[in-house]
């Protein structure tokens, strides 16, 4: 997930720990390399800058440079700062689904992995929390996407709202709500239409559905491989629709990881889950400590 960044950082820190005694200048030099590594991982410039500033402030003082293990101390500071950058409030994996039936709105661009993630989360809620989940596709312009959700539903044993031709997304959302109440479901998930770019129609549709469903969670699915673009997409969706969290997909790929590091700092929104493959169980909740551990190798 963070192979390149992780390799680069371990190179820098190996040298630092081998050096033994460290001057403030040695630490600064090492942190310049860390900064370059972060930027190469596609971390946004202001985030990288702030990060290095915060580390430098703590790591160049006498308490570190005069300690017996200065290199280790610098690593510990970087580790803690990474957690600070990554961590949102509360438990990322805990979806707000009290008061059944709880609506969850899924939004994102086409191809981001939205439908797959909808099904993965539904399966998770069913398997781990014993919830009865109903999924509905609102992608009326792409019958194949509606069909895809129905197929995934069958695969994972989660019900999908029957497809009615000619219905608009708001009507589908209303029907999902009624069906979820009458059918005694705990959660209903609305998989909204995706498009290749954020356009007026996409936003207007998602906003109309949001206003009808009054979702407990609005999860934005973004492709982690797209780096800073993923962060820009998140900013725009949050601005126009309001999201309660982000799911970063394709974190199993060889992406540079920058999106994970910049997301919360830039958008103020926590990453809640990461997608780690195409299989229905390839999803993990986003744990800042675990991710920081992976980055530092
Ligand atoms: P949507 O258009 O946003 O609904 O995207 P889909 O859910 O149809 O996903 C597009 C493709 O990406 C599918 O082939 C998925 O199997 C794949 N995909 C989704 N999430 C992940 C992930 O976390 N890792 C990988 N490797 N592939 C994923």
């Amino acid at each position: 997930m963070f192979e390149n960044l992780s390799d680069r950082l371990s190179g820098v820190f190996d040298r630092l720990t081998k050096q033994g005694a460290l001057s403030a200048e040695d630490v600064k030099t090492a942190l310049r390399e860390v900064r370059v590594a972060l930027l190469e991982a596609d971390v946004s410039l202001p985030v990288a800058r702030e990060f290095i500033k915060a580390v430098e402030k703590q790591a160049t003082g006498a308490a570190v440079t005069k300690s017996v293990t200065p290199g280790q101390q610098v690593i510990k500071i970087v580790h803690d700062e990474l957690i600070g950058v990554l961590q949102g409030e509360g438990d990322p994996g805990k979806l707000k689904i009290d008061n059944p039936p709880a609506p969850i709105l899924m939004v994102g661009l086409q191809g981001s992995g939205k439908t797959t993630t909808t099904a993965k989360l539904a399966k998770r809620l069913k398997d781990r929390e014993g919830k009865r989940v109903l999924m509905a596709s609102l992608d009326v312009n792409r019958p194949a996407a509606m069909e895809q959700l129905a197929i995934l539903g069958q695969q994972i044993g989660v019900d999908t709202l029957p497809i009615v031709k000619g219905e608009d997304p708001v009507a589908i959302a209303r029907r999902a709500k009624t069906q979820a109440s009458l059918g005694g479901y705990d959660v209903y998930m609305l998989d909204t239409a995706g498009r290749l770019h954020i356009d007026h129609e996409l936003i207007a549709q998602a906003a109309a559905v949001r206003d009808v469903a009054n979702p407990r969670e609005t999860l934005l699915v973004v492709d982690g491989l797209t780096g800073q673009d993923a962060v820009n997409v998140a900013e725009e969706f949050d601005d126009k629709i309001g999201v309660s969290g982000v799911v970063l997909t394709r974190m199993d790929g060889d992406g540079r990881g920058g999106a994970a590091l910049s997301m919360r700092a830039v958008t103020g929104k926590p990453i809640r889950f990461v997608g780690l493959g195409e299989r229905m169980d390839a999803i993990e909740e986003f744990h800042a400590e675990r991710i920081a551990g992976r980055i530092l190798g």
Side-chain angles (χ1 to χ4, degrees):
M1 189 190 294
F2 297 103
E3 288 80 2
N4 290 342
L5 178 59
S6 186
D7 284 353
R8 291 286 302 269
L9 293 185
S10 48
V12 177
F13 292 137
D14 277 355
R15 263 173 276 140
L16 209 57
T17 39
K18 283 201 188 103
Q19 234 171 303
L22 290 181
S23 66
E25 212 35 61
D26 294 329
V27 175
K28 280 188 185 164
T29 307
L31 291 181
R32 268 197 288 277
E33 290 177 52
V34 173
R35 183 173 185 269
V36 172
L38 290 174
L39 294 177
E40 282 179 3
D42 210 17
V43 174
S44 94
L45 180 60
V47 174
R49 201 184 275 149
E50 279 301 307
F51 181 86
I52 295 300
K53 213 162 96 187
V55 173
E56 192 171 303
K57 206 164 144 203
Q58 303 164 66
T60 50
V64 170
T65 51
K66 299 256 178 302
S67 83
V68 202
T69 53
Q72 290 299 340
Q73 306 250 11
V74 175
I75 296 171
K76 165 92 172 70
I77 293 166
V78 169
H79 176 261
D80 292 351
E81 280 300 319
L82 275 177
I83 292 176
V85 163
L86 294 165
Q87 200 150 42
E89 271 116 58
D91 183 350
K94 187 108 197 84
L95 294 170
K96 288 195 196 73
I97 47 164
D98 39 352
N99 294 340
I104 298 180
L105 189 63
M106 303 295 294
V107 296
L109 293 180
Q110 189 175 317
S112 60
K114 188 165 43 59
T115 299
T116 311
T117 304
T118 302
K120 284 176 178 178
L121 288 176
K123 181 174 189 303
R124 213 180 138 91
L125 286 169
K126 173 175 85 92
D127 293 349
R128 298 198 175 201
E129 302 186 38
K131 299 294 181 195
R132 286 196 66 214
V133 184
L134 177 69
M135 304 189 293
S137 172
L138 276 53
D139 203 346
V140 293
N141 296 325
R142 291 197 308 144
M146 301 184 93
E147 206 45 51
Q148 187 198 349
L149 189 69
I151 292 167
L152 291 175
Q154 273 174 8
Q155 246 177 53
I156 59 174
V158 167
D159 293 341
T160 48
L161 190 73
I163 299 169
V164 174
K165 284 212 175 87
E167 215 173 17
D168 68 45
V170 168
I172 301 175
R174 285 211 176 91
R175 188 158 57 87
K177 189 175 183 173
T178 308
Q179 174 81 18
S181 300
L182 295 177
Y185 289 92
D186 299 302
V187 178
Y188 64 101
M189 304 185 72
L190 302 173
D191 182 13
T192 60
R195 284 173 188 261
L196 294 175
H197 304 285
I198 301 176
D199 61 19
H200 174 71
E201 206 179 324
L202 171 82
I203 296 294
Q205 200 172 89
V209 171
R210 175 202 61 200
D211 293 345
V212 168
N214 201 8
R216 218 60 59 73
E217 298 270 9
T218 300
L219 298 178
L220 171 70
V221 181
V222 284
D223 181 345
L225 290 182
T226 61
Q228 288 199 53
D229 272 350
V231 179
N232 297 337
V233 166
E235 259 194 306
E236 207 168 337
F237 264 96
D238 187 40
D239 187 41
K240 305 251 165 65
I241 300 171
V243 305
S244 59
V246 175
V247 182
L248 266 191
T249 60
R250 302 210 174 82
M251 294 304 279
D252 50 310
D254 57 359
R256 292 171 290 168
L261 278 158
S262 310
M263 188 60 77
R264 199 193 55 93
V266 174
T267 67
K269 297 298 166 184
I271 299 172
R272 308 283 293 273
F273 296 93
V274 287
L276 294 166
E278 304 205 26
R279 287 183 32 200
M280 284 293 106
D281 53 5
I283 190 161
E284 220 176 61
E285 53 186 87
F286 185 82
H287 267 306
E289 283 200 32
R290 201 183 297 158
I291 302 282
R294 275 188 195 158
I295 292 172
L296 289 180

